[in-house]
Amino acid sequence: MNRKSILMCPGPSEVHPEVILAMAKPLVSHVDPSFFALLDRLQDQLKTIFQTKNTCMLLPGTGTSGMEASLINFLDPGDKVLVGIIGHFGERIRIIAERIGCEVKVVSAPEGNALDPNDVENAIKGFSPKLFACVHAETSTGVLQPLKDIMDICKKYEVLTLVDTVASLGGVNVPVDELGIDIVYSGSQKCLGCPPGVAPISFSPRAESVLESLKPRNYYLDLRLIKKYWLERVYHHTPPVNLFYACNKGFDLIIEEGLINRFERHRKIGLALQKGLEVMGFKFVAQRDVQNPVVTAIYLPPEIEDVKLRKILLEEFGIEIALGIAQLKGKIARFGTMAESARPQNVLYLLSALENILKRFGIFKESGVDVASSIL
Amino acid sequence: MNRKSILMCPGPSEVHPEVILAMAKPLVSHVDPSFFALLDRLQDQLKTIFQTKNTCMLLPGTGTSGMEASLINFLDPGDKVLVGIIGHFGERIRIIAERIGCEVKVVSAPEGNALDPNDVENAIKGFSPKLFACVHAETSTGVLQPLKDIMDICKKYEVLTLVDTVASLGGVNVPVDELGIDIVYSGSQKCLGCPPGVAPISFSPRAESVLESLKPRNYYLDLRLIKKYWLERVYHHTPPVNLFYACNKGFDLIIEEGLINRFERHRKIGLALQKGLEVMGFKFVAQRDVQNPVVTAIYLPPEIEDVKLRKILLEEFGIEIALGIAQLKGKIARFGTMAESARPQNVLYLLSALENILKRFGIFKESGVDVASSIL
């Protein structure tokens, strides 16, 4: 099958051709003056995108490398960590913190809900953690965690904050300084619209003083050494040069579009998809008030087996979607409307493909294309 | 300066245009059936290149991620590790092993020399390490460590073996199974001729049983989880899909050329460069009998400051070289003749540029171009 499939899964997302082509720029070495200039530009771009004055860098790894770096560089064995878990990726934070040897307490929410700030406050009061970590956009459920109240509570109790923005940065507002997030990371391949393999990270002066005080127990993701490379040009590793070219171009496109315009585009596209799905009779995993515009998870009717749906969409329509993970495995389908995937034609095509499939299974009720179209 | 510079540093090396263009293939997701098929092909290619039947994978990080993964997945705090150090990268192995909390003993050699097998045997006898680690091609000095005797000694004492082949795999013979290496890793951007950002790794059934018995203390580079993704398709991370496309093409080119032909090309090109430099009066950091053909390190005469040489070569000739690191900083220049950089035109151009510079500094003796040319 030689057809180019359309990525409507929650990452990787469609990448602009100019970003792909940027990778083909002539390779220079990691100590070439022109590459050092690129590192400076990337830092400026990241500060714009993270909306922060804090230190920003790109890690030579995927989103999960950002997660591990954000924990292992700021935590010692025995440190108390409060983890907010509303799905698979919060669970992953817990696993990593436990592997470090931290004392971990969990605050969670029922399936499809965001964390309740009161629960977070109560957990902090009784536990006095050094760090609170949560996921902004939980890709496994489509829930977008409201951050303001929780971050305010952490500030009140002087708890260090860590937020995973892998599935939100570049598509949903993440005003790092305004929210007072200490440590934040993302992945290149979702709303940032770049190829996978790079993890943007940013940390506050407060986090930095913790970093400097810790005995290093890792090396590849040692933020002290990586920062020395980015700021003082002291060799630590050979970065994925071509991926950095791609990020530079991808970030340019984000800044040219404008953050506000870009968030509005993602909001509208997500809304159109969700209204369409609703009219068609699908139920959502996420509660309406915390529904992420860029990740939509729907429960599947008993007539449609998840792997069958995925196969039909991929093989017959050339659309790539994702299914449920962990406890949601077998029950749901997940769609991503991120970066270049968040375009009207993709949403309408996905909805009409789903309609076609519902008809085939004899469970078609009403078309969602019209309502989606009216929003787009 | 818009000129494309020629990479004659010991990594990254010049990448074939077809490998660069392979990155621009349409992006698929990390769970797409066509991507799983690619993972299978990559494993077969790696088995050919590592000359092994052992498990082979690509790690989502640079060569240093391979180094850390090779240590952290097989060692517990308190484990005894013998590290052979003949330069900067052996030193880095020591640092990582110490950060894990291992009891580390070092066996070393004078500058420019390889490890003496007798020293290794004596160190093993008195220390009984769980693992012996060394660097095959030490990029900081240009020494190529002969492996056979040392690996035989490790086998005799049943010591697990770990070899860094970042600067040798694909350019110099690394017969993993024949040598009985348990754990071996490399980097994509040197003799393998691919863009930086990916670390090939391979480990034996014996290493695998150690891996399975260890309590995991890391996550991103957890080889158990990465192996589950490669072999059982259980999600762990979103790999750098485009870099994997590039590796697939780059590995194809290696296999098409043939390992023996490729080693011979690197041998001849390195010899030509080294004979040319010798005639011109340069002294080498590495002893003649352990000189790596793909990395050449020369002492600079007092008249030529290293950073000045680097600047002239880059700005006037468009040639990128590397200088000394750690204790060799300020004293040497290093050249790489790896992958697509290992072509006759590059060697002759580098030699004639160096001649031009020697003349400028009034210390030209004899041309090295003719002797190099006669070898090429």
Side-chain angles (χ1 to χ4, degrees), chain A residues 185-203:
Chain A
Y185 62 89
S186 190
S188 50
Q189 81 281 12
K190 302 203 178 196
C191 296
L192 294 171
C194 299
V198 172
I201 191 167
S202 177
F203 41 91

Side-chain angles (χ1 to χ4, degrees), chain B residues 341-357:
Chain B
S341 299
R343 297 292 177 192
Q345 65 273 31
N346 296 333
V347 168
L348 295 179
Y349 183 48
L350 173 60
L351 286 172
S352 62
L354 287 171
E355 282 188 19
N356 182 303
I357 294 168

Side-chain angles (χ1 to χ4, degrees), chain A residues 194-211:
Chain A
C194 299
V198 172
I201 191 167
S202 177
F203 41 91
S204 70
R206 189 160 73 122
E208 224 159 315
S209 69
V210 174
L211 172 70

Side-chain angles (χ1 to χ4, degrees), chain A residues 73-366:
Chain A
N73 284 285
F74 303 97
L75 293 169
D76 267 325
D79 277 347
K80 287 183 182 179
V81 181
L82 180 65
V83 183
I85 301 187
I86 54 170
H88 181 75
F89 290 92
E91 184 60 28
R92 182 172 282 203
I93 292 178
R94 183 188 64 76
I95 293 170
I96 297 177
E98 285 179 354
R99 287 188 176 190
I100 292 170
C102 296
E103 189 185 335
V104 179
K105 197 181 156 81
V106 166
V107 56
S108 58
E111 189 171 290
N113 286 266
L115 298 172
D116 183 331
N118 292 323
D119 292 345
V120 174
E121 180 153 20
N122 289 334
I124 288 177
K125 271 191 206 162
F127 185 56
S128 300
K130 171 181 175 179
L131 180 136
F132 168 77
C134 71
V135 174
H136 184 214
E138 180 55 64
T139 337
S140 61
T141 61
V143 170
L144 188 71
Q145 173 67 49
L147 293 172
K148 185 168 183 338
D149 291 350
I150 294 177
M151 292 298 119
D152 284 349
I153 290 164
C154 289
K155 211 175 293 171
K156 181 173 154 194
Y157 294 93
E158 295 183 344
V159 176
L160 212 58
T161 51
L162 161 53
V163 180
D164 173 314
T165 65
V166 170
S168 57
L169 191 73
V172 177
N173 195 19
V174 185
V176 170
D177 282 358
E178 193 187 309
L179 291 167
I181 307 173
D182 289 303
I183 309 157
V184 57
Y185 62 89
S186 190
S188 50
Q189 81 281 12
K190 302 203 178 196
C191 296
L192 294 171
C194 299
V198 172
I201 191 167
S202 177
F203 41 91
S204 70
R206 189 160 73 122
E208 224 159 315
S209 69
V210 174
L211 172 70
E212 299 298 337
S213 72
L214 242 69
K215 182 170 159 267
R217 289 181 318 282
N218 63 318
Y219 193 93
Y220 185 59
L221 298 174
D222 183 337
L223 291 178
R224 268 161 300 227
L225 299 177
I226 296 174
K227 195 184 144 205
K228 270 208 161 182
Y229 172 64
W230 277 74
L231 299 183
E232 299 167 39
R233 321 310 195 193
V234 178
Y235 169 67
H236 168 261
H237 66 281
T238 304
V241 175
N242 309 73
L243 294 182
F244 280 19
Y245 290 155
C247 286
N248 181 236
K249 186 66 203 177
F251 297 166
D252 264 350
L253 294 182
I254 292 173
I255 293 165
E256 272 171 33
E257 180 171 8
L259 288 182
I260 292 170
N261 294 337
R262 193 170 173 97
F263 301 152
E264 175 56 18
R265 167 162 69 89
H266 282 85
R267 189 197 63 77
K268 209 163 74 174
I269 292 280
L271 186 69
L273 173 64
Q274 289 156 8
K275 286 288 176 201
L277 291 167
E278 196 179 4
V279 167
M280 289 163 73
F282 288 108
K283 302 290 173 212
F284 299 85
V285 177
Q287 295 296 307
R288 191 180 298 253
D289 59 330
V290 291
Q291 173 66 61
N292 189 343
V294 305
V295 182
T296 305
I298 52 166
Y299 292 109
L300 293 176
E303 293 85 354
I304 306 183
E305 204 200 345
D306 64 341
V307 288
K308 186 146 195 187
L309 175 68
R310 189 175 190 281
K311 198 173 148 73
I312 295 174
L313 281 170
L314 183 63
E315 293 182 1
E316 293 185 32
F317 295 89
I319 298 174
E320 186 143 351
I321 66 158
L323 302 177
I325 34 183
Q327 54 267 56
L328 285 166
K329 197 173 174 170
K331 298 184 197 169
I332 67 168
R334 296 180 298 137
F335 311 120
T337 41
M338 300 164 157
E340 290 308 307
S341 298
R343 298 292 177 191
Q345 65 272 30
N346 296 334
V347 168
L348 296 179
Y349 183 48
L350 173 61
L351 286 172
S352 61
L354 288 171
E355 284 189 17
N356 182 302
I357 294 167
L358 290 184
K359 281 179 190 158
R360 204 181 300 191
F361 282 88
I363 49 172
F364 175 74
K365 287 174 191 157
E366 202 184 322

Side-chain angles (χ1 to χ4, degrees), chain B residues 241-292:
Chain B
V241 175
N242 310 73
L243 293 183
F244 280 19
Y245 290 156
C247 286
N248 181 235
K249 186 69 204 173
F251 297 166
D252 264 350
L253 295 182
I254 292 173
I255 293 165
E256 273 171 33
E257 181 173 6
L259 288 183
I260 291 171
N261 295 336
R262 194 170 172 98
F263 301 153
E264 174 57 18
R265 167 161 70 88
H266 282 86
R267 189 198 63 77
K268 208 163 77 173
I269 292 280
L271 186 70
L273 173 64
Q274 288 156 8
K275 287 287 175 200
L277 291 167
E278 196 179 3
V279 167
M280 289 164 73
F282 288 108
K283 303 286 171 216
F284 298 85
V285 177
Q287 296 295 308
R288 191 180 298 252
D289 59 329
V290 290
Q291 173 65 62
N292 189 343

Side-chain angles (χ1 to χ4, degrees), chain B residues 71-139:
Chain B
L71 292 161
I72 205 163
N73 284 286
F74 303 97
L75 294 169
D76 267 324
D79 277 346
K80 287 184 181 179
V81 181
L82 180 66
V83 183
I85 301 187
I86 55 169
H88 180 76
F89 289 91
E91 185 60 26
R92 181 171 282 202
I93 291 178
R94 183 188 64 75
I95 293 169
I96 296 176
E98 283 180 355
R99 287 187 175 190
I100 292 170
C102 296
E103 189 186 334
V104 179
K105 195 181 158 81
V106 167
V107 55
S108 59
E111 189 170 290
N113 286 268
L115 298 172
D116 183 330
N118 291 323
D119 292 346
V120 174
E121 180 153 19
N122 289 334
I124 288 177
K125 271 191 210 162
F127 185 56
S128 300
K130 172 181 174 178
L131 180 135
F132 167 77
C134 71
V135 174
H136 183 212
E138 179 56 64
T139 336

